Amino acid sequence: MPKLWNETIDAHRAAVRKAVLETTAAMVAEHGLTSVTMSRIAKDSGIGRATLYKYFPDVESILLAWHEQQVSHHLDHLAEVRDGTEGAAARLEAVLRAFALISRASRQHHDGDAAAFLHRDRRVSQAQQRLHGMVEDLLADGARSGDVRDDIAPGELASYCLHALTAAGDLPSEAAVHRLVTVTIAGVRPGGAEESDTPRSADATARSPHHPRHHPAHGGHSARS
């Protein structure tokens, strides 16, 4: 009986905690961080205010606990995507695509004040380091297999990818997110350095139909070749 009783209590506490976290996150997303109070959280969670204070001292601590849980779920999901995909190039693309979609979904659920508050949390920095390490390892695998350029260190490429794909949070649709991923991956493929070294003005000239690169008589070869 004591074991069953303890399990029942633990299950109840977990249910209460889950309800509080989900209620708080939904309220912050709808009304903003500064509009949410412990009284409102207790009421909407279906528990007493005194009970709520037994679990959390304030709104900020609830939001941090919710965010830590979300970050952990996101990292676990990315690891599952990585482990469930075959081939270095496919693994890299799958993880980057999943990360970009997460970035877009997460930004839509945070108001400005909440996002600024959450990103001051030291656990966010730790999670970013884990994410960076995961992507860096995938890029290193890709470089060894010949699917990723090897003229730039994997760590630097990982920073490039993650910074680029964080912008997915501001994109209007999933289709736009997928296009961003495609462009980002193109930048880390072998041969990307040749294009990136070309001045913008030269690129514009090269795109001209009168430029030798695009003239049928030259077979599409660059004037540099």
Side-chain angles (χ1 to χ4, degrees):
M1 286 294 291
K3 181 178 180 181
L4 180 61
W5 177 251
N6 287 336
E7 291 177 349
T8 301
I9 292 177
D10 289 342
H12 172 72
R13 288 174 176 168
V16 170
R17 179 182 172 85
K18 179 180 179 181
V20 169
L21 295 183
E22 292 180 350
T23 297
T24 303
M27 292 176 68
V28 169
E30 182 176 358
H31 304 291
L33 178 60
T34 57
S35 300
V36 178
T37 64
M38 293 292 277
S39 296
R40 292 184 63 183
I41 293 172
K43 180 180 178 181
D44 286 17
S45 299
I47 62 175
R49 187 177 176 186
T51 300
L52 177 60
Y53 276 106
K54 291 180 180 179
Y55 286 83
F56 299 99
D58 50 39
V59 176
E60 287 76 10
S61 64
I62 300 174
L63 196 57
L64 285 174
W66 172 82
H67 191 242
E68 182 179 11
Q69 176 179 278
Q70 291 298 108
V71 168
S72 178
H73 287 336
H74 291 162
L75 288 172
D76 289 344
H77 173 63
L78 292 176
E80 289 176 3
V81 169
R82 176 198 62 197
D83 297 341
T85 308
E86 294 293 332
R91 275 195 300 271
L92 174 64
E93 181 171 352
V95 169
L96 293 183
R97 201 170 295 281
F99 169 72
L101 291 170
I102 288 172
S103 294
R104 180 171 184 268
S106 298
R107 185 74 63 89
Q108 291 179 333
H109 289 87
H110 290 166
D111 79 312
D113 290 338
F117 168 72
L118 291 172
H119 281 82
R120 290 196 297 268
D121 182 21
R122 62 176 177 78
R123 286 166 289 194
V124 172
S125 178
Q126 294 172 350
Q128 289 173 337
Q129 290 175 6
R130 287 180 58 192
L131 174 61
H132 189 281
M134 181 189 298
V135 174
E136 182 177 354
D137 289 343
L138 290 171
L139 286 161
D141 289 343
R144 284 190 288 270
S145 67
D147 296 302
V148 171
R149 59 194 299 171
D150 60 3
D151 60 325
I152 299 176
E156 187 174 338
L157 287 178
S159 296
Y160 156 72
C161 291
L162 294 175
H163 280 297
L165 296 179
T166 298
D170 296 321
L171 295 178
S173 67
E174 286 194 6
V177 173
H178 291 305
R179 288 192 291 270
L180 175 62
V181 174
T182 298
V183 171
T184 302
I185 291 175
V188 303
R189 285 179 177 151
E194 181 177 328
E195 291 299 322
S196 65
D197 288 342
T198 305
R200 186 176 181 82
S201 58
D203 277 348
T205 302
R207 286 194 297 268
S208 169
H210 303 294
H211 191 272
R213 175 184 292 183
H214 294 277
H215 198 284
H218 290 270
H221 291 297
S222 168
R224 292 181 296 170
S225 60

